mmCIF file of all heavy atoms in Angstrom:
data_model
loop_
_atom_site.group_PDB
_atom_site.id
_atom_site.type_symbol
_atom_site.label_atom_id
_atom_site.label_comp_id
_atom_site.label_asym_id
_atom_site.label_seq_id
_atom_site.Cartn_x
_atom_site.Cartn_y
_atom_site.Cartn_z
ATOM 1 N N ASN A 690 79.490 103.107 109.164
ATOM 2 C CA ASN A 690 78.754 104.219 109.779
ATOM 3 C C ASN A 690 78.743 105.364 108.787
ATOM 4 O O ASN A 690 79.784 105.959 108.517
ATOM 5 C CB ASN A 690 79.433 104.679 111.077
ATOM 6 C CG ASN A 690 79.453 103.594 112.123
ATOM 7 O OD1 ASN A 690 78.480 102.887 112.284
ATOM 8 N ND2 ASN A 690 80.567 103.456 112.813
ATOM 9 N N LEU A 691 77.562 105.677 108.236
ATOM 10 C CA LEU A 691 77.459 106.719 107.216
ATOM 11 C C LEU A 691 76.388 107.728 107.594
ATOM 12 O O LEU A 691 75.378 107.379 108.201
ATOM 13 C CB LEU A 691 77.111 106.101 105.861
ATOM 14 C CG LEU A 691 78.081 105.058 105.313
ATOM 15 C CD1 LEU A 691 77.527 104.441 104.049
ATOM 16 C CD2 LEU A 691 79.433 105.674 105.058
ATOM 17 N N LYS A 692 76.615 108.983 107.221
ATOM 18 C CA LYS A 692 75.623 110.044 107.401
ATOM 19 C C LYS A 692 74.825 110.139 106.104
ATOM 20 O O LYS A 692 75.190 110.865 105.179
ATOM 21 C CB LYS A 692 76.316 111.376 107.684
ATOM 22 C CG LYS A 692 77.167 111.370 108.938
ATOM 23 C CD LYS A 692 77.879 112.696 109.086
ATOM 24 C CE LYS A 692 78.853 112.677 110.247
ATOM 25 N NZ LYS A 692 79.641 113.914 110.325
ATOM 26 N N SER A 693 73.732 109.394 106.030
ATOM 27 C CA SER A 693 72.991 109.274 104.767
ATOM 28 C C SER A 693 72.401 110.605 104.297
ATOM 29 O O SER A 693 72.375 110.875 103.101
ATOM 30 C CB SER A 693 71.903 108.217 104.878
ATOM 31 O OG SER A 693 70.990 108.542 105.892
ATOM 32 N N ASP A 694 71.938 111.449 105.227
ATOM 33 C CA ASP A 694 71.372 112.728 104.817
ATOM 34 C C ASP A 694 72.424 113.628 104.158
ATOM 35 O O ASP A 694 72.161 114.270 103.140
ATOM 36 C CB ASP A 694 70.711 113.442 106.004
ATOM 37 C CG ASP A 694 71.673 113.654 107.170
ATOM 38 O OD1 ASP A 694 72.605 112.838 107.341
ATOM 39 O OD2 ASP A 694 71.489 114.647 107.907
ATOM 40 N N ARG A 695 73.648 113.651 104.697
ATOM 41 C CA ARG A 695 74.719 114.477 104.121
ATOM 42 C C ARG A 695 75.206 113.888 102.790
ATOM 43 O O ARG A 695 75.528 114.620 101.860
ATOM 44 C CB ARG A 695 75.887 114.606 105.092
ATOM 45 C CG ARG A 695 75.557 115.363 106.357
ATOM 46 C CD ARG A 695 75.047 116.767 106.086
ATOM 47 N NE ARG A 695 76.081 117.584 105.448
ATOM 48 C CZ ARG A 695 75.857 118.738 104.833
ATOM 49 N NH1 ARG A 695 74.650 119.225 104.755
ATOM 50 N NH2 ARG A 695 76.837 119.400 104.285
ATOM 51 N N ILE A 696 75.231 112.570 102.685
ATOM 52 C CA ILE A 696 75.633 111.933 101.428
ATOM 53 C C ILE A 696 74.637 112.279 100.333
ATOM 54 O O ILE A 696 75.021 112.661 99.221
ATOM 55 C CB ILE A 696 75.747 110.406 101.612
ATOM 56 C CG1 ILE A 696 76.927 110.074 102.523
ATOM 57 C CG2 ILE A 696 75.895 109.709 100.270
ATOM 58 C CD1 ILE A 696 76.981 108.635 102.979
ATOM 59 N N LYS A 697 73.341 112.186 100.647
ATOM 60 C CA LYS A 697 72.312 112.535 99.669
ATOM 61 C C LYS A 697 72.407 114.005 99.277
ATOM 62 O O LYS A 697 72.205 114.363 98.111
ATOM 63 C CB LYS A 697 70.923 112.215 100.223
ATOM 64 C CG LYS A 697 70.668 110.723 100.306
ATOM 65 C CD LYS A 697 69.335 110.414 100.933
ATOM 66 C CE LYS A 697 69.143 108.921 101.065
ATOM 67 N NZ LYS A 697 67.905 108.573 101.760
ATOM 68 N N TYR A 698 72.731 114.884 100.240
ATOM 69 C CA TYR A 698 72.897 116.303 99.940
ATOM 70 C C TYR A 698 74.026 116.504 98.924
ATOM 71 O O TYR A 698 73.849 117.188 97.916
ATOM 72 C CB TYR A 698 73.191 117.106 101.209
ATOM 73 C CG TYR A 698 73.702 118.488 100.899
ATOM 74 C CD1 TYR A 698 72.840 119.486 100.477
ATOM 75 C CD2 TYR A 698 75.061 118.789 100.991
ATOM 76 C CE1 TYR A 698 73.310 120.749 100.153
ATOM 77 C CE2 TYR A 698 75.541 120.044 100.675
ATOM 78 C CZ TYR A 698 74.663 121.021 100.254
ATOM 79 O OH TYR A 698 75.133 122.261 99.924
ATOM 80 N N TRP A 699 75.206 115.922 99.193
ATOM 81 C CA TRP A 699 76.350 116.122 98.301
ATOM 82 C C TRP A 699 76.089 115.546 96.917
ATOM 83 O O TRP A 699 76.495 116.130 95.915
ATOM 84 C CB TRP A 699 77.624 115.539 98.908
ATOM 85 C CG TRP A 699 78.186 116.419 99.969
ATOM 86 C CD1 TRP A 699 78.197 116.196 101.302
ATOM 87 C CD2 TRP A 699 78.795 117.701 99.787
ATOM 88 N NE1 TRP A 699 78.780 117.246 101.966
ATOM 89 C CE2 TRP A 699 79.153 118.182 101.050
ATOM 90 C CE3 TRP A 699 79.074 118.490 98.672
ATOM 91 C CZ2 TRP A 699 79.780 119.411 101.237
ATOM 92 C CZ3 TRP A 699 79.696 119.708 98.849
ATOM 93 C CH2 TRP A 699 80.036 120.163 100.122
ATOM 94 N N LEU A 700 75.395 114.412 96.848
ATOM 95 C CA LEU A 700 75.059 113.856 95.535
ATOM 96 C C LEU A 700 74.068 114.756 94.799
ATOM 97 O O LEU A 700 74.140 114.893 93.581
ATOM 98 C CB LEU A 700 74.492 112.441 95.690
ATOM 99 C CG LEU A 700 75.492 111.386 96.169
ATOM 100 C CD1 LEU A 700 74.768 110.086 96.478
ATOM 101 C CD2 LEU A 700 76.592 111.162 95.150
ATOM 102 N N SER A 701 73.164 115.398 95.546
ATOM 103 C CA SER A 701 72.167 116.274 94.915
ATOM 104 C C SER A 701 72.775 117.561 94.371
ATOM 105 O O SER A 701 72.249 118.133 93.419
ATOM 106 C CB SER A 701 71.050 116.608 95.904
ATOM 107 O OG SER A 701 71.527 117.486 96.918
ATOM 108 N N VAL A 702 73.890 118.014 94.954
ATOM 109 C CA VAL A 702 74.516 119.247 94.465
ATOM 110 C C VAL A 702 75.587 118.969 93.408
ATOM 111 O O VAL A 702 76.292 119.883 93.003
ATOM 112 C CB VAL A 702 75.113 120.112 95.608
ATOM 113 C CG1 VAL A 702 74.019 120.611 96.514
ATOM 114 C CG2 VAL A 702 76.184 119.375 96.366
ATOM 115 N N GLY A 703 75.699 117.705 92.968
ATOM 116 C CA GLY A 703 76.564 117.410 91.835
ATOM 117 C C GLY A 703 77.843 116.656 92.134
ATOM 118 O O GLY A 703 78.633 116.415 91.226
ATOM 119 N N ALA A 704 78.079 116.273 93.371
ATOM 120 C CA ALA A 704 79.285 115.492 93.679
ATOM 121 C C ALA A 704 79.120 114.089 93.108
ATOM 122 O O ALA A 704 78.025 113.530 93.115
ATOM 123 C CB ALA A 704 79.505 115.422 95.180
ATOM 124 N N GLN A 705 80.198 113.530 92.601
ATOM 125 C CA GLN A 705 80.194 112.187 92.045
ATOM 126 C C GLN A 705 80.768 111.211 93.073
ATOM 127 O O GLN A 705 81.649 111.582 93.835
ATOM 128 C CB GLN A 705 81.048 112.133 90.775
ATOM 129 C CG GLN A 705 80.568 113.039 89.670
ATOM 130 C CD GLN A 705 79.256 112.562 89.085
ATOM 131 O OE1 GLN A 705 79.111 111.385 88.788
ATOM 132 N NE2 GLN A 705 78.310 113.468 88.941
ATOM 133 N N ALA A 706 80.307 109.981 93.049
ATOM 134 C CA ALA A 706 80.844 108.948 93.935
ATOM 135 C C ALA A 706 81.841 108.109 93.148
ATOM 136 O O ALA A 706 81.602 107.794 91.985
ATOM 137 C CB ALA A 706 79.724 108.071 94.466
ATOM 138 N N SER A 707 82.962 107.751 93.770
ATOM 139 C CA SER A 707 83.903 106.845 93.116
ATOM 140 C C SER A 707 83.217 105.497 92.963
ATOM 141 O O SER A 707 82.185 105.223 93.586
ATOM 142 C CB SER A 707 85.182 106.710 93.940
ATOM 143 O OG SER A 707 84.926 105.999 95.129
#
Side-chain angles (χ1 to χ4, degrees):
N690 297 319
L691 301 174
K692 299 176 186 175
S693 60
D694 57 331
R695 294 302 296 165
I696 292 169
K697 289 176 183 176
Y698 166 76
W699 283 109
L700 292 172
S701 71
V702 295
Q705 299 291 313
S707 70

